[in-house]
Amino acid sequence: MKVLKFGGTSVGTVESLANVKAIVEGIDEPVIVVVSALGGLTDKLIATANMAAAADDTYKEEYERIVTRHNDIISGVVPQHLQGEVHTIVDPLLKELGDVYLGISLLQDLSPRTLDRVVSFGERLSSVIISRMIEGAIHFNSPDFIYTDSRHGRHVLDDEESLPRIKEVFTSTTFTRAIVPGFIARDRKGRFTNLGRGGSDYTAAILAAALDAHTLEIWTDVDGFMTADPRILPDAHVIDRLSFVEAMELCNFGAKVIYPPTIYPVFHKGIPIYIKNTFRPWVPGTCISDAEGNRQHRHMSGVTSLKDIHVVTVSAVKGTELAAHRGRMVNLLSRNGVTIYNLVNDSAINSFRFAVRGADVDRALDTLNNEYAPELQTGEISGIEVSDSLTMIAIVGDNLQQSAEEMWRRVNAMLADNAIVPHALSEGSSATTLSFVVEKAQEHQALRLLHDMYLKF
């Protein structure tokens, strides 16, 4: 058995859905197909909800466009004799969505719980349609077996509740082709939740790991992982093979090919991931695996960038031992759901600094200022400052650890020659990554220099 996931661009039009149908029906073994909402629909659902909350009556026009789009897709891809059956399921869902929007408009309030319910409609609708489009397919409802907990204001997988239910549902039913909505879940109180943006990838990985699939395929609109973002560097090329750690690091540092948590469940089971292009299915794509022969004999696999980075600098008076404070701060921020990048010391001024995403910077500062209020008042900690408008550049490769020192010398020399002053140089979260922070305006130049030095054909 294999698990396939098709993203929004793959299920966005009648033409792209014809490709999905051909790919799935061409597989001669049991397959679970995880699908996203129609391309761009999740953003549309959110925007329409915000319009309703703002008492903007044009939300009704946007809602009608959502209805029309689904009706057009049904007419274009579902066999005529099944369209009535599809409408008996889809039409009540669309009416329910309209009722939710009306309630939001009347209350002029959009709570996180209500928004979770709104965005759930995308995958609930698309999966029903696709299950009737593909011959011999059976529809499974992921909120029946994917559960989440809430931690630090985010939904995270509830393994204890989910894994037994997944095994029970799929081992008690005989199927050749199973269609599952990605992204959506529920909590133990039965309320709709989700696995976060990009969560359909994660749904597929959870199912692949729980059911011991031999392969996970992520079908998207690109040929695979690239050596750099081709929108920035047109001469970037496909990476044919990556280790799990390389793929995780590329995702964590900005490559948007797959949702980062996707890799963890299958990594632990040793299940390979293939990144494939729905619109060019004959292209080999990228294989992610730690199988023998999959690792490359190269120092670098790719270079990527992470935007909207802020560097937090924590300074102390001379004589203060920063090592203890550093460990305390790292643990404190981690417990509060803040991801830290590039933690480095500056002994010359008795400080250390680290990078965080823009979405986490306020939480990081509030956490530190509250925790260290006494030390800030006495002056033991002399300041907590933040710099913004920065971008993190990451160099990823399994063999970097063998030449990290020499590479840093070359990279530093190259940056200096081109008047690029890096902030917070550091090794990454593993021996696979070296990273540094630059001014936002220097991102493209830094990427070009590194790609030309190490990755150009």
Side-chain angles (χ1 to χ4, degrees):
M1 183 191 72
K2 65 167 66 175
V3 177
L4 282 67
K5 178 266 179 177
F6 290 93
T9 54
S10 298
V11 300
T13 65
V14 170
E15 292 74 22
S16 62
L17 281 164
N19 292 343
V20 173
K21 178 178 172 67
I23 290 166
V24 175
E25 292 182 357
I27 297 172
D28 59 0
E29 64 178 300
V31 60
I32 297 175
V33 179
V34 176
V35 296
S36 296
L38 303 184
L41 186 71
T42 301
D43 288 337
K44 175 71 74 175
L45 290 167
I46 294 170
T48 305
N50 283 317
M51 292 170 66
D56 180 351
D57 277 348
T58 56
Y59 87 83
K60 297 175 184 177
E61 298 172 13
E62 295 302 317
Y63 165 70
E64 289 301 330
R65 291 189 180 98
I66 292 170
V67 172
T68 299
R69 183 179 180 191
H70 284 88
N71 288 334
D72 289 346
I73 290 289
I74 293 168
S75 298
V77 304
V78 176
Q80 183 70 37
H81 69 282
L82 293 176
Q83 289 184 14
E85 176 188 337
V86 172
H87 278 292
T88 63
I89 303 170
V90 166
D91 292 355
L93 284 173
L94 288 168
K95 182 181 183 305
E96 182 185 346
L97 173 62
D99 291 342
V100 173
Y101 280 144
L102 176 60
I104 293 169
S105 176
L106 292 173
L107 294 173
Q108 295 185 32
D109 178 69
L110 180 58
S111 69
R113 188 177 300 168
T114 301
L115 186 58
D116 283 345
R117 185 179 174 194
V118 167
V119 297
S120 76
F121 283 94
E123 279 75 10
R124 293 162 70 189
L125 291 161
S126 67
S127 60
V128 169
I129 296 169
I130 293 168
S131 70
R132 273 61 174 188
M133 174 190 78
I134 293 173
E135 186 177 350
I138 299 174
H139 182 266
F140 289 79
N141 186 35
S142 53
D144 290 342
F145 45 81
I146 302 288
Y147 281 71
T148 65
D149 277 333
S150 180
R151 297 177 194 166
H152 307 301
R154 299 172 182 172
H155 302 308
V156 297
L157 179 68
D158 183 345
D159 295 84
E160 183 179 315
E161 190 73 15
S162 301
L163 300 185
R165 289 178 181 266
I166 292 169
K167 293 177 181 178
E168 178 185 356
V169 166
F170 286 95
T171 57
S172 63
T173 305
T174 301
F175 64 89
T176 302
R177 296 161 185 153
I179 309 300
V180 178
F183 172 67
I184 58 175
R186 70 172 77 244
D187 61 21
R188 294 196 186 192
K189 294 182 179 179
R191 299 172 299 201
F192 279 110
T193 62
N194 57 68
L195 296 171
R197 295 304 294 264
S200 292
D201 290 352
Y202 194 25
T203 301
I206 292 165
L207 294 176
L211 300 171
D212 293 317
H214 66 76
T215 301
L216 170 61
E217 296 179 358
I218 305 293
W219 290 83
T220 181
D221 59 356
V222 296
D223 288 343
F225 273 89
M226 308 287 286
T227 52
D229 187 339
R231 295 169 299 181
I232 298 174
L233 304 180
D235 56 350
H237 54 274
V238 175
I239 308 168
D240 58 348
R241 291 178 288 171
L242 287 170
S243 69
F244 285 116
V245 173
E246 285 177 315
M248 281 190 278
E249 292 292 82
L250 284 169
C251 290
N252 286 332
F253 284 91
K256 296 180 179 178
V257 180
I258 56 177
Y259 183 50
T262 302
I263 299 169
Y264 302 121
V266 293
F267 166 67
H268 292 296
K269 287 291 189 77
I271 299 169
I273 307 172
Y274 289 85
I275 309 300
K276 303 276 287 181
N277 191 336
T278 306
F279 306 92
R280 288 158 47 90
W282 59 87
V283 175
T286 299
C287 174
I288 303 168
S289 169
D290 280 338
E292 188 67 27
N294 202 56
R295 292 174 179 270
Q296 297 293 295
H297 299 291
R298 61 190 174 211
H299 291 308
M300 285 179 62
S301 293
V303 59
T304 187
S305 59
L306 196 59
K307 298 176 176 60
D308 192 23
I309 289 294
H310 299 245
V311 172
V312 178
T313 301
V314 180
S315 304
V317 296
K318 288 186 177 181
T320 299
E321 179 52 59
L322 269 181
H325 287 299
R326 183 181 64 188
R328 176 181 165 194
M329 287 186 182
V330 169
N331 290 331
L332 177 68
L333 292 170
S334 178
R335 289 197 305 272
N336 282 274
V338 177
T339 300
I340 295 174
Y341 302 88
N342 292 40
L343 177 64
V344 293
N345 294 320
D346 190 338
S347 56
I349 58 173
N350 203 35
S351 71
F352 64 87
R353 57 188 179 274
F354 56 87
V356 296
R357 301 290 299 271
D360 287 340
V361 67
D362 288 340
R363 183 185 303 175
L365 292 174
D366 288 346
T367 299
L368 293 178
N369 281 314
N370 289 336
E371 175 74 10
Y372 280 87
E375 289 87 348
L376 286 165
Q377 187 171 6
T378 62
E380 182 180 350
I381 299 296
S382 56
I384 300 174
E385 300 176 342
V386 63
S387 303
D388 57 11
S389 298
L390 303 171
T391 297
M392 186 177 301
I393 307 293
I395 311 162
V396 176
D398 266 338
N399 296 317
L400 284 181
Q401 56 192 349
Q402 300 174 12
S403 58
E405 188 174 342
E406 173 59 28
M407 179 172 284
W408 269 128
R409 281 198 292 269
R410 293 187 64 188
V411 169
N412 276 321
M414 176 197 69
L415 295 175
D417 289 345
N418 289 273
I420 298 175
V421 180
H423 306 254
L425 290 84
S426 176
E427 295 188 7
S429 57
S430 74
T432 306
T433 305
L434 303 175
S435 58
F436 55 91
V437 177
V438 298
E439 298 294 330
K440 182 168 63 176
Q442 296 178 314
E443 173 194 1
H444 290 194
Q445 182 186 15
L447 288 171
R448 164 61 64 193
L449 291 167
L450 287 168
H451 194 265
D452 286 352
M453 180 184 291
Y454 289 107
L455 292 164
K456 200 169 182 178
F457 282 121

